Amino acid sequence: MSDETSQHRPDSQASPAAAAATVEWHPTACILCECNCGIEIRLGGDTGTRFERIRGDKAHPASQGYTCEKALRLDHYQHQPRLTSPLRRRADGTFEEIDWDTAISEVAARFAAVRDAHGGESIFYYGGGGQGNHLGGGYSGATLRALGARYKANALSQEKTGEFWVNGKMFGGGVRADFEHTEVAVFVGKNPWQSHGLPRARTLLKEIANDPARAMIVIDPKRSETAELAEFHLAVKPGTDAFCLAAMVAVLVQERLVKRSWVDEHTTGFEQIAEAFSSIDVDAYAARCGVDAELLRSAARRIAGAASVAVFEDLGIQMNRHSTMNSWLEKLLWILTGNFAIPGGQYMGTSLVSLIRAGGPKPAGTPENVSPVVGAKIISGLVPCNVVPDEILTDHPRRYRAMLVESGNPAHSLADSGRMRESLESLELVVVIDVAMTETARLADYVLPAPTQYEKWEATFFNFDFPHNVFHLRKPVLPAPDGVLPEPEIHARLCEALGAITSEQLAPLRAAAERGRAEFATAFFEATSADPRLGAMAPVVLYRTLGPTLPDGAASAALLWGAAHRCALGYETSVRGAGFTGEGLELGEALFDAILAGHHGVTFTNDEWDAVWPRVQTADQRIQLALPELLDELAALPDDAPIATDEFPFVLSAGERRSFTANTIIRDAGWRKRDAEGALRLSPADAEALGVITGGTVRVVTTRGAAEVVVEVYDGMQPGHISLPNGLGLDQDEAGGLHRTGVAPNELTDNRLRDPIAGTPWHKSVPARLEPVS
């Protein structure tokens, strides 16, 4: 992709070569999607702090110089309004600045008071990082253990836990796909042209589309940019993906396209699958989802006949009707055709720090982990976001009574914002750690300011590549301003204020660290083994002892020392395959050294395909096909009621990804070069019926709210289907008060509309109506 410049011109008397030699490019990464592409930033402007030019980093081992247009606007993130002092809410609702000693002392005391009165389980944690800032959140576990807090949630339990649950049941761990080498790429509820999710997304999509030997299948109600490139676009009616996917699996079963010998060798439960899908009426299901039956059959046959198939599901089905069942159905498509542990198929990879807890088999009689009030499933350690208000707005003795929010904005990002605000306002204590004055921070009792992601050491734990997996520890591009503290320092001070660690406990470890990491390793393992309470504080122990000895002020990276050793132990062959050597602890130390020095990113594992099967962690080491809860849901699928009704004749997709949307991390509305207001998209037929044109205004109404919004007539939309982008509707301080640009989608969503298993919201199929605005 081309980069965007502000046309900085060197002195006319300096030679081009000399000018180029004086330019400093700072390697770092984009923070706007899970890919975290490597970029380089050139600083400039009057203060020397503006992101004068941004380009893709060709030395980055994953993205290799690729970036999209969003990364080129990151100066708007770095230079938007932000906080530079801790804030405390006054009795009248306004805020006053306080010093850090006061903030830490009071926050620790008030959390301790809640813990002592109601138990640590009454303290709830939300967040821990966004698309590119996971390092700070890695230290939060120590604070939570110091408080005895147990329950937490983040964006993953708003979006992904249905798939986590399915992966855990079927494989015992997470699964990804190899699109680089696949013959048939299938995207279900995903538009990677905008949402990315795979390295070099747009380049790769064009490569697949232009290769006559390859094919692309897209299941999406909208004719998206990706659908435009596809050989097969199955334009389902919004919210009916389950009918389409079930019909495609039925084609495989009924037309005997299943790779039966492979299935018999590697899976358990096919007989139940065959029984469930042999009776499905493919034509009737195709009619229910609005897809031509022959087109649906052709797509299923193309999958069955391919040498390799890679499938990527995303929020279009994960935040929709039957989201958990959809995750199961799309996996049946590629499992029944033998597309696991082969080049171009699906794989189970490595991780340096896993954000996903394996959901594999548990011993018989193990009680299910559920939330304390509602009894909702806790998947991958996360409470469903949609039940959080129900866990607070109650007189139940085990309700949540306090909340710590870190790098998250639940008042804006979670379903039914009005109810979420009511929940936050009812708590005894809310503390927010963030860069900016977010919608959630405005409701907090204390706000603790952190540096931006370009003012501190930072990293992402979204490391999913195969066979070469990449980790990127990023140096600061700029110094942080006075008055802010990095999240590891905040958590260390809170743990100290809570009495969870003392200087006396840490003194021997500090001394050992000064003598070298080999001696430190022995001292650390002995100390944490002898004192489990110290082991529970391991992240901040490492930060306070090993951290000060790390080069270039990289104390926040101390957490990665333990991660490197765990990775070397758990994936020894893969780490050695990436070129690392050493015996015993030497292997982990070599990996840690490379991470500290790898400012453009480092390949930390290199796999062979035969490494994949041993990672299946089910009881019989086979893929489990038959999931009873989902077989029951499948049997009841024909009884689904239509989404649209006379009162709400439209189906709203709340939170569409577009060229200039990026969740809420960029709060400066000026970063958008197009679609500044976040228009409501609707079909030409619906626009004509309503008598509106592009640039006009309508009122969108749902069961939970209403908003006036600018219209964009978009011929890729089906009649009856409307969409709003994500990341709009943020409150900005301006002269005269707060100003909001665009519509906040969650003012219109309903947290009661959620998946029965994972509790994930149905944001992509919200019943709505449109009214003219006079």
Side-chain angles (χ1 to χ4, degrees), residues 308-645:
S308 59
V309 178
V311 181
F312 203 143
E313 65 165 82
D314 208 350
L315 305 189
I317 63 168
Q318 291 170 341
M319 302 179 82
N320 214 328
R321 316 280 162 143
H322 303 290
S323 58
T324 301
M325 184 170 73
N326 286 334
S327 294
W328 172 63
L329 291 170
E330 64 90 352
K331 287 167 178 54
L332 290 179
L333 282 175
W334 53 261
I335 295 169
L336 297 181
T337 51
N339 286 287
F340 181 71
I342 62 169
Q346 276 60 218
Y347 59 84
M348 300 179 76
T350 61
S351 64
L352 189 75
V353 178
S354 179
L355 295 176
I356 305 169
R357 294 186 189 176
K362 296 180 180 179
T366 302
E368 188 171 40
N369 194 12
V370 297
S371 64
V373 176
V374 178
K377 287 182 187 295
I378 294 177
I379 300 171
S380 194
L382 300 173
V383 172
C385 294
N386 269 352
V387 307
V388 172
D390 301 327
E391 300 281 341
I392 296 172
L393 297 174
T394 174
D395 59 1
H396 194 288
R398 296 184 64 198
R399 66 186 181 272
Y400 305 145
R401 298 170 187 265
M403 188 181 296
L404 174 60
V405 180
E406 180 176 356
S407 297
N409 190 7
H412 182 279
S413 301
L414 301 190
D416 203 339
S417 292
R419 196 150 190 265
M420 193 66 226
R421 286 192 294 270
E422 181 186 358
S423 302
L424 291 166
E425 290 167 347
S426 74
L427 291 168
E428 297 176 23
L429 176 65
V430 177
V431 177
V432 169
I433 302 172
D434 214 314
V435 176
M437 195 65 169
T438 66
E439 287 68 26
T440 304
R442 295 182 193 281
L443 302 172
D445 297 289
Y446 295 88
V447 186
L448 308 180
T452 73
Q453 295 190 42
Y454 296 105
E455 298 168 348
K456 60 185 175 182
W457 289 84
E458 194 51 276
T460 176
F461 300 148
F462 288 149
N463 315 117
F464 304 127
D465 294 337
F466 186 96
H468 309 281
N469 207 354
V470 174
F471 184 83
H472 188 185
L473 176 64
R474 313 189 306 265
K475 292 180 64 174
V477 174
L478 291 165
D482 292 338
V484 305
L485 291 177
E487 293 91 338
E489 179 67 24
I490 294 173
H491 287 295
R493 293 191 186 190
L494 285 173
C495 289
E496 290 160 352
L498 289 163
I501 52 172
T502 65
S503 296
E504 291 74 19
Q505 288 176 297
L506 301 183
L509 292 176
R510 287 197 182 100
E514 292 287 346
R515 293 190 291 270
R517 291 213 303 267
E519 188 167 335
F520 174 78
T522 300
F524 177 80
F525 294 131
E526 287 179 352
T528 53
S529 297
D531 186 353
R533 293 174 299 176
L534 193 65
M537 298 295 107
V540 296
V541 170
L542 289 171
Y543 176 74
R544 282 291 193 237
T545 57
L546 179 63
T549 71
L550 299 182
D552 302 321
S556 296
L559 177 78
L560 300 177
W561 176 78
H565 280 287
R566 286 193 298 272
C567 182
L569 180 65
Y571 300 109
E572 180 179 353
T573 301
S574 303
V575 171
R576 293 188 184 280
F580 298 100
T581 60
E583 301 303 321
L585 295 179
E586 294 175 349
L587 185 62
E589 292 292 341
L591 176 56
F592 185 54
D593 281 334
I595 289 170
L596 290 173
H599 301 317
H600 296 269
V602 61
T603 298
F604 68 94
T605 57
N606 184 17
D607 273 321
E608 300 294 336
W609 279 95
D610 60 9
V612 174
W613 270 112
R615 293 173 184 160
V616 175
Q617 295 297 307
T618 56
D620 60 3
Q621 298 292 299
R622 295 159 65 91
I623 299 171
Q624 305 301 301
L625 300 180
L627 306 185
E629 298 96 327
L630 299 181
L631 285 167
D632 290 343
E633 189 173 339
L634 178 69
L637 184 60
D639 299 328
D640 259 20
I643 300 169
T645 64

Side-chain angles (χ1 to χ4, degrees), residues 154-182:
N154 58 36
L156 294 176
S157 57
Q158 172 82 338
E159 303 168 348
K160 301 289 184 180
T161 41
E163 186 182 18
F164 294 171
W165 185 86
V166 170
N167 281 338
K169 297 289 186 180
M170 298 184 84
F171 308 96
V175 178
R176 299 284 287 196
D178 174 20
F179 287 92
E180 191 78 32
H181 304 102
T182 196

